[in-house]
Amino acid sequence: MLAASRPAPTNRKGQVLMSHAQVLNAKESKPSLFRQPRAVWAVAFACVISFMGIGLVDPILPALSKQLDATPAQVSLLFTSYLVVTAVAMLVTNWVSSRIGAKRTLMAGLVLIVAFAALAGTAGSISGIVGFRAGWGLGNALFIATSLAVIVASASGGFEGAIILYETALGLGIAVGPLLGGFLGNVSWRGPFFGVSALMAVAFIATTVMVPATPKPAHKTSLAAPLKALRHRGLLIMSLTALCYNWGFFTLLGYAPYPMKLSPIQLGLVFTGWGILVALFSVAVAPRLHRRFGTAPTLYANLLMLAIVLAVIGFGTGSPNTVIVATIVSGAFIGINNTLTTQAVMTVSPVERPVAAASYGFVRFIGGGLAPYVAGKVAEAYNIHVPFLLGAVAMLLAIVVLSTGHRLLADAERASRTGVVATPDNGPAFAESTASGDSAAVVGRAVEPSGDFVAVGEIATANDRKPIVLAIDAGPAAHAATAKAIEIAMARPAPIDVLHVQEIEIVGDAAIDRESLDQARAFVDARLADLRAGGVVATGHVLRSVADHANIGRLIADYAARVGAALIVIGEPTNGAFARMLDGSSSHQLLADAPCDVLVVGTEREPELLTSA
């Protein structure tokens, strides 16, 4: 239970543990979500417009078919050209950005979107729009490959603040895109294309002026890296699962508007409801389901529900209301699937995350690009029911494909919970360890699949006392927590084991490191320097993880049990109530699993003692 705040919390023996925490850096202000540089807002605005493209053209599909005298199969090529080019472009985006830098790659993508969206609006035939949508797809691939990284790099409101802004942009774009497309499309089918071009032009100017130049990465990615990565069975299985899923998803997105028989504005409202559910379930619900049931079981159930939804549409195409309701409901399952499939890809992939994302994106967008065109051809050859039933079969096939990699995913997920991850160099390893007195981090060698941590360097034991685990992130409370750990360690005396977890963040179908491994090492080294200056014997570790935030609490608790810790000291969470509501609290999970007392140290109030059960 959480003890109430009090002047002098005690341990189970009634001994006083602490007084007020000493803050090493006199005044540290907490990061603010809204106190961001203009560069962040510029890129976030561009993200909103980019995400609008997902559902922007849906409200005008029937109008395009009627006014340009084109069949639904021909109109569906708008999706095919866009997504197939995006798929192929995913193979080169890392190659480009690793040579010219993130900002230039971002700007190149914006220029292409502005140009080709405007050209699509001037086209006089469906074939012209299809061709220009291909160029739009190339620009979008370059943009989405770098936008999240640029926001995180430019944000001053903390990592969580940057992620929340990106999630907000994702939600607004998906939800507002169909609505804007419906209103503009009600005036003319050209309206949505010109609207996107104009808004992206504004975003391009803002990005050019406000976003500072980004350095070129030290490591250059080869062109062949994404294709070579598909030789890894786990990544290939998850990518093929996503291909089948995207087949059903884009069948629905590209062909559902026709049996609804609605005006552009009405279609915009339907897909706005759909988009709200996609965003909400992607950001808020998917992480909770993952923590409760695990990745694979949730995906099995979710894919089955999507198969049922597509079957309902397939059998109910004669009822517009049935199609409308089923389409809106599908947004919930699509949001869950987008997040958890990305989570699974990052969990099983033994290659660099940008390379894994490129490989996965290439395969899945191929499925998404082909599906709407095939749906149109099948409908012409048979009837309107068949494309949706074929999409339902694709969802069931995704379950079968996923089941062939069940053990791989389960093993990788188990490893992420214990801090043992697969690395391309040495197989399973506990990640990086920094020994006391040495500023260089040393890579831990392979360990047994049991997940035991391997210590690099001599484990410090002061008077054979049980160590204090100091588990901290890079937030404002890190210095205060370090000071409190020094105070307690000197009083006992006891050694301190610094533990810092290097996480990744999953946002929809994007993933990004919270920090580089070099940054994580530097952070631990800085804390060790503080401890050595305080006269405390200490060891440091960096644990690499792909787990969600709550699993970080499990990682810390597991590690404390392994080393026989007498106390865990953590900094007060700083990600805010909103972020904790969306993604759970690692500190709460730590309290549930901790083998010893947990001391929470903030910068503005008394430390609080969390007593383990």
Side-chain angles (χ1 to χ4, degrees), residues 524-598:
V524 173
D525 281 337
R527 300 292 73 75
L528 291 177
D530 291 340
L531 295 170
R532 288 194 293 270
V536 177
V537 180
T539 300
H541 297 87
V542 174
L543 304 180
R544 304 180 74 178
S545 170
V546 295
D548 61 42
H549 292 175
N551 272 338
I552 300 310
R554 295 189 183 97
L555 279 169
I556 297 170
D558 179 74
Y559 183 79
R562 290 171 184 268
V563 300
L567 177 69
I568 301 172
V569 180
I570 64 172
E572 182 182 24
T574 57
N575 53 338
F578 179 67
R580 286 196 297 272
M581 177 190 71
L582 294 182
D583 208 17
S585 170
S586 61
S587 59
H588 291 169
Q589 191 61 54
L590 171 60
L591 175 61
D593 295 346
C596 58
D597 290 345
V598 180

Side-chain angles (χ1 to χ4, degrees), residues 351-378:
V351 297
E352 295 176 345
R353 290 185 187 107
V355 174
S359 304
Y360 160 67
F362 166 67
V363 176
R364 73 185 178 108
F365 283 131
I366 288 292
L370 296 178
Y373 179 70
V374 173
K377 287 297 185 182
V378 168

Side-chain angles (χ1 to χ4, degrees), residues 466-477:
K466 292 182 178 181
I468 296 168
V469 171
L470 174 61
I472 45 178
D473 59 16

Side-chain angles (χ1 to χ4, degrees), residues 57-98:
V57 298
D58 278 275
I60 62 171
L61 293 180
L64 284 172
S65 179
K66 182 178 180 180
Q67 295 179 30
L68 296 179
D69 194 24
T71 66
Q74 291 172 321
V75 174
S76 69
L77 286 172
L78 268 71
F79 289 97
T80 299
S81 63
Y82 178 82
L83 291 169
V84 169
V85 170
T86 297
V88 176
M90 294 299 290
L91 299 176
V92 302
T93 50
N94 288 322
W95 183 86
V96 172
S97 63
S98 67

Side-chain angles (χ1 to χ4, degrees), residues 330-599:
S330 74
F333 303 117
I334 287 168
I336 293 170
N337 211 83
N338 287 347
T339 296
L340 293 191
T341 304
T342 305
Q343 177 95 30
V345 168
M346 296 302 142
T347 301
V348 302
S349 298
V351 297
E352 295 176 345
R353 290 185 187 107
V355 174
S359 304
Y360 160 67
F362 166 67
V363 176
R364 73 185 178 108
F365 283 131
I366 288 292
L370 296 178
Y373 179 70
V374 173
K377 287 297 185 182
V378 168
E380 290 177 357
Y382 299 98
N383 57 57
I384 197 173
H385 306 281
V386 178
F388 300 104
L389 298 178
L390 183 60
V393 171
M395 291 295 181
L396 296 176
L397 182 59
I399 296 175
V400 174
V401 175
L402 178 61
S403 68
T404 65
H406 183 93
R407 178 172 295 182
L408 282 172
L409 182 56
D411 289 345
E413 195 167 26
R414 190 180 307 112
S416 74
R417 290 194 182 103
T418 59
V420 182
V421 299
T423 66
D425 297 327
N426 58 4
F430 78 99
E432 316 298 321
S433 174
T434 303
S436 174
D438 187 354
S439 61
V442 183
V443 178
R445 303 315 304 165
V447 298
E448 294 300 319
S450 63
D452 289 337
F453 285 76
V454 175
V456 177
E458 184 180 354
I459 290 294
T461 54
N463 298 330
D464 295 324
R465 294 277 187 172
K466 292 182 178 181
I468 296 168
V469 171
L470 174 61
I472 45 178
D473 59 16
H479 289 288
T482 302
K484 177 51 60 182
I486 292 174
E487 179 184 333
I488 299 171
M490 293 293 289
R492 294 199 172 195
I496 292 178
D497 197 333
V498 179
L499 184 61
H500 178 62
V501 181
Q502 183 198 14
E503 299 178 72
I504 68 168
E505 185 77 27
I506 305 294
V507 187
D509 55 3
I512 188 172
D513 287 306
R514 285 176 162 256
E515 60 190 341
S516 69
L517 183 55
D518 287 341
Q519 289 172 324
R521 288 169 171 170
F523 176 78
V524 173
D525 281 337
R527 300 292 73 75
L528 291 177
D530 291 340
L531 295 170
R532 288 194 293 270
V536 177
V537 180
T539 300
H541 297 87
V542 174
L543 304 180
R544 304 180 74 178
S545 170
V546 295
D548 61 42
H549 292 175
N551 272 338
I552 300 310
R554 295 189 183 97
L555 279 169
I556 297 170
D558 179 74
Y559 183 79
R562 290 171 184 268
V563 300
L567 177 69
I568 301 172
V569 180
I570 64 172
E572 182 182 24
T574 57
N575 53 338
F578 179 67
R580 286 196 297 272
M581 177 190 71
L582 294 182
D583 208 17
S585 170
S586 61
S587 59
H588 291 169
Q589 191 61 54
L590 171 60
L591 175 61
D593 295 346
C596 58
D597 290 345
V598 180
L599 181 64

Side-chain angles (χ1 to χ4, degrees), residues 72-284:
Q74 291 172 321
V75 174
S76 69
L77 286 172
L78 268 71
F79 289 97
T80 299
S81 63
Y82 178 82
L83 291 169
V84 169
V85 170
T86 297
V88 176
M90 294 299 290
L91 299 176
V92 302
T93 50
N94 288 322
W95 183 86
V96 172
S97 63
S98 67
R99 282 161 176 78
I100 67 175
K103 180 185 176 180
R104 290 181 180 178
T105 304
L106 188 76
M107 292 174 63
L110 287 171
V111 168
L112 290 173
I113 294 172
V114 169
F116 283 103
L119 289 171
T122 63
S125 66
I126 194 66
S127 59
I129 300 174
V130 169
F132 293 132
R133 277 279 285 181
W136 188 345
L138 174 60
N140 201 55
L142 294 171
F143 178 82
I144 63 177
T146 51
S147 56
L148 178 56
V150 172
I151 280 185
V152 170
S154 304
S156 64
F159 188 92
E160 283 77 13
I163 292 299
I164 291 173
L165 283 177
Y166 188 84
E167 289 172 340
T168 303
L170 172 69
L172 282 175
I174 293 176
V176 175
L179 191 61
L180 179 64
F183 278 105
L184 294 177
N186 198 53
V187 177
S188 168
W189 65 262
R190 302 178 189 273
F193 298 111
F194 287 131
V196 167
S197 181
L199 290 171
M200 275 303 202
V202 174
F204 172 77
I205 295 171
T207 301
T208 303
V209 174
M210 298 178 184
V211 177
T214 56
K216 297 179 183 178
H219 171 67
K220 294 182 179 180
T221 305
S222 72
L223 277 173
L227 290 176
K228 288 181 178 179
L230 290 173
R231 293 181 298 185
H232 297 285
R233 184 166 175 264
L235 179 56
L236 179 61
I237 288 173
M238 290 311 308
S239 298
L240 291 175
T241 300
L243 184 151
C244 296
Y245 155 71
N246 272 268
W247 188 284
F249 168 33
F250 281 100
T251 294
L252 184 149
L253 201 62
Y255 215 73
Y258 296 102
M260 291 184 192
K261 299 177 181 179
L262 300 175
S263 68
I265 289 180
Q266 291 171 325
L267 281 172
L269 291 171
V270 169
F271 279 97
T272 293
W274 168 85
I276 290 172
L277 290 184
V278 170
L280 178 63
F281 277 74
S282 175
V283 174

